[in-house]
Amino acid sequence: MGITFDEKNRLFFIETRSTTMCLALTDEEGILNNVYYGSRVDRGDISYLLRRGEYPFVPSENDRDRGCFFDYARMEFPTSGIGDYRTPSVILIDEKGHDSSLFTYKSHRIYEGKENLYAELPGGDRVRIPGTFAEDKVSTLEIKLSDGVLGVSAYLSYSVFEGIDAIVKSVRLVNYSDRCVIIDKLMSSTLDLERGVFDNKSPEVVTLSGSWARERRMDVRLLKRGSVEVYSSRGESSHQFQPFMAVAEEGAGESRGRVYAQTVIWSGNFICGAGADQFDNIRAYVGINPQHFRWDLKSGESFQAPEAVLVYTEEGFDGMSHVFHNLFKEHLIRSPYLHKERPVLINNWEATYFDFDTDKLLSIAREAKKSGIEMLVMDDGWFGKRNDDNTSLGDWTVNEEKLPGGLKRLSSELTQIGMKLGIWFEPEMVSPDSDLYKAHPNWAISIEGRTPCKLRNQYVLDITRREVRDHVFDAMVNILKSADISYVKWDMNRQLSDLGSVELDPSSMGRLSYLYTLAVYDLQERLLKEFPDLLLENCSGGGARFDAGMLFYSPQIWCSDDTDAYERLSIQSGTEMLYPLSVMGAHVSASPNHITGRTMPFDVRCAVAMSGTFGYELDITKLPDEEKNAIPEQVEIYHKYSEIVREGDYYRIARESETHEYDAWMSVEPGKEKALLTYIQVKAAPNVKGRLIRLKGLDPDRKYNLRLIGADNEDSLFCSREKKSLWEKTAPAEALSGRALMNAGIVMPAVWGEYAQFMIEIG
Ligand code: GLA
């Protein structure tokens, strides 16, 4: 691992454990090209990949056709208007309205370590932009490129961490001129490849898309000439698309195939795209969506684009996921809870919605405690006069009619029961029907003269303004100091629209979306500084803020409002493409499910929720006895296996979206001593054999026993007698090597009826 510069051949080698990226400078002008990114290669002279000698694209020898070179080369920082007609990484507009730029090499530095990224909010508050970090074992290359005409420099930064096959990249623009330059677009990363890296076959573009309650399902399509883009212009990373795109060799599978993937560590508007051109070059890019973005970079100012993460692997999507998971776990999530067992919680949202009071909550808590549940999360509806979703956001005072004695009484009664308290907030919002809005109508983001669009009957506060942000912060602090509160669910239930801030002058109005995201970060940073032990879970109408930026603050994120275990199979397996199981909020809810009406067995709902941060989202006092009685065993199983789930490496065995009959995944302890397999039969089929599945990630030479979870317990409510006897008929009779289990596989019994779970301890 490391970064070197071959001065003679003007080549930068950026190496991770098993990949190399090689950036080359053209000798004439110092245009930065990305000539190679792939499996590790020697640091030889591969500058021929610049294709300088290829007729007629010879910039030095053929000035007549200079543009052809620009439109053909693998540009590392492509600009607009100079002869590269593909999608640029940057568009700058000078004071005369011209939109051309060209950046050439000035200098570079290679250093051990990595610098944090910062940006400024109006009023001068300096905010750290979420990004990867490491105390040591990280090296960085910073290349300075400049446009001499504009007087603007671009600092391109590349960091590599020991043992992690990812390159983290960021860009900062500095205006050294005495004029203002408008940044119309700035990508965090543009990666140029040639189709040859995919053996001259069209690659596949993989994205994760969805909507409310059906987030992050995998989409795959062939990349022909033209382009594909996914994006958010909603002021959050969104339900609709995940900030992620992979370009993979056609037919790449879970365990094999070349995959180039990029994401951006950012919770606001983004764009990820890939295009193929006339020469079969492929250009893939990620960064802030240029829609709703326009930055007036004044003389002396700088602008920092968020960090992009680049992953290359030959080991398919599992290989890609492992890199993202490890990078995020080791170098992005800061929370002290990262490696700790999270409390099993019960959330009252689906139990009561807005219709609750202290007595109802306490009766849920008492019943939950008997089952081993450890924390009650009081969701929406505890403040102002909020008995439905039309009112009171912004009025963060306890509704004493519902909660007499306030949070103090609730929390002390919970303490007596032996339960912790968590609460819900939606700090960024204001209801038109609220004291806050009446007092400060212009605190909402809006455009003068235009009636702002309401979503869920609410507006978004302009937290880019310091007084608004301070007000929100103080309101939260007051509440959190008023009682013993261990956990906050930070929600955000509408997207941004009507982008106007009374504090930004017209030339800076295009900054608003970026600043908004920064303001959210600032608030969460301040909150965690004030309450370092707080367990924070981000949420946005379910999973619209499931992104790497949020992981910098919260070690877990609510995955989706859809808690239907069948739906969760595809939502969770999409989420796991990038994010480790330890961050995925997953709860068991009542059946029939409130959103889909689907009925599913309690043990299956539990098995699916157990591969995330586990909890319940139901009224335990109303559960049928057979379900209520099953909870203590479920909680025990969660505690027994939560470490493997949290710390283990995740492997996809089968996706229901492909098999249509079953889904299966594994978590394997880092030392490979133990593993956990979860197998869900979704559909019953007549006259079928049991499914042969091959296990993954085990130590080939180690012997493993397989145990059906719940089988040792005679009266298990998690594992029925019928299931035990089915398993006994197909399970291996003795310990087998990892090699046998991974190659010969095991047989999962076919079960009569739909929806069955088998959780198998391997070790
Ligand atoms: C969002 C969240 C839910 C719940 C409601 C409350 O939809 O995702 O879990 O908290 O808000 O209004």
Side-chain angles (χ1 to χ4, degrees), residues 147-371:
D147 180 309
V149 177
L150 292 174
V152 174
S153 294
Y155 294 84
L156 271 51
S157 188
Y158 304 80
S159 296
V160 287
F161 301 87
E162 192 174 288
I164 306 263
D165 275 322
I167 297 175
V168 171
K169 194 171 153 183
S170 66
V171 187
R172 180 166 49 98
L173 291 181
V174 182
N175 183 357
Y176 291 110
S177 80
D178 53 10
R179 294 144 299 168
C180 181
V181 173
I182 306 286
I183 310 172
D184 212 34
K185 175 181 186 183
L186 180 62
M187 292 296 96
S188 294
S189 168
T190 293
L191 175 66
D192 274 5
L193 301 166
E194 300 186 35
R195 204 166 75 155
V197 305
F198 300 109
D199 302 323
N200 287 307
K201 295 194 188 105
S202 296
E204 289 174 346
V205 171
V206 181
T207 56
L208 297 166
S209 66
S211 181
W212 172 75
R214 47 187 167 84
E215 297 91 339
R216 291 177 294 285
R217 284 151 194 249
M218 193 173 167
D219 275 335
V220 183
R221 72 286 249 173
L222 273 186
L223 182 66
K224 296 289 183 185
R225 292 195 178 127
S227 50
V228 179
E229 279 182 347
V230 293
Y231 55 87
S232 166
S233 53
R234 298 166 188 266
E236 58 178 355
S237 45
S238 88
H239 299 100
Q240 286 71 16
F241 294 113
Q242 174 64 203
F244 158 78
M245 185 175 277
V247 182
E249 126 183 42
E250 190 186 353
E254 309 296 8
S255 320
R256 53 150 294 279
R258 275 161 281 177
V259 180
Y260 291 88
Q262 298 193 89
T263 186
V264 59
I265 303 177
W266 188 244
S267 310
N269 297 339
F270 72 86
I271 196 160
C272 299
D277 71 5
Q278 57 185 334
F279 300 114
D280 295 324
N281 284 311
I282 292 150
R283 175 165 290 176
Y285 46 93
V286 295
I288 290 178
N289 191 343
Q291 192 187 351
H292 299 310
F293 174 81
R294 204 163 181 273
W295 196 276
D296 51 324
L297 190 69
K298 302 196 180 80
S299 168
E301 282 187 348
S302 64
F303 175 79
Q304 179 66 58
E307 250 175 47
V309 178
L310 284 72
V311 173
Y312 171 75
T313 177
E314 292 184 354
E315 289 164 12
F317 298 112
D318 269 352
M320 173 197 83
S321 302
H322 290 162
V323 180
F324 281 122
H325 293 187
N326 292 338
L327 180 76
F328 294 162
K329 282 204 263 189
E330 289 171 35
H331 302 290
L332 182 67
I333 303 171
R334 299 175 298 171
S335 169
Y337 291 95
L338 171 62
H339 295 296
K340 284 196 191 145
E341 194 162 322
R342 318 290 159 76
V344 177
L345 64 82
I346 185 156
N347 179 303
N348 76 310
W349 178 238
E350 288 193 26
T352 65
Y353 296 103
F354 294 99
D355 182 19
F356 64 86
D357 56 20
T358 301
D359 289 345
K360 212 182 227 179
L361 293 177
L362 289 176
S363 62
I364 292 176
R366 272 186 212 105
E367 204 54 56
K369 172 67 188 173
K370 284 190 219 154
S371 302

Side-chain angles (χ1 to χ4, degrees), residues 597-613:
R598 184 173 283 116
T599 302
M600 289 183 87
F602 202 46
D603 62 323
V604 176
R605 283 178 269 150
C606 167
V608 174
M610 249 185 236
S611 57
T613 65

Side-chain angles (χ1 to χ4, degrees), residues 212 215 239 347 349-350 353-354 378-381 383 386 388-389 393 424-426 456 458 489 491-493 539-544 558-563 587 617:
W212 172 75
E215 297 91 339
H239 299 100
N347 179 303
W349 178 238
E350 288 193 26
Y353 296 103
F354 294 99
M378 178 175 60
D379 212 280
D380 192 357
F383 51 90
R386 190 155 165 101
D388 58 36
D389 60 8
L393 291 169
W424 179 97
F425 268 107
E426 198 180 353
R456 211 192 191 203
Q458 64 199 55
K489 175 175 172 186
D491 208 341
M492 195 260 194
N493 274 319
C539 168
S540 176
W558 184 228
C559 190
S560 174
D561 277 349
D562 188 347
T563 49
H587 299 165
E617 189 97 13

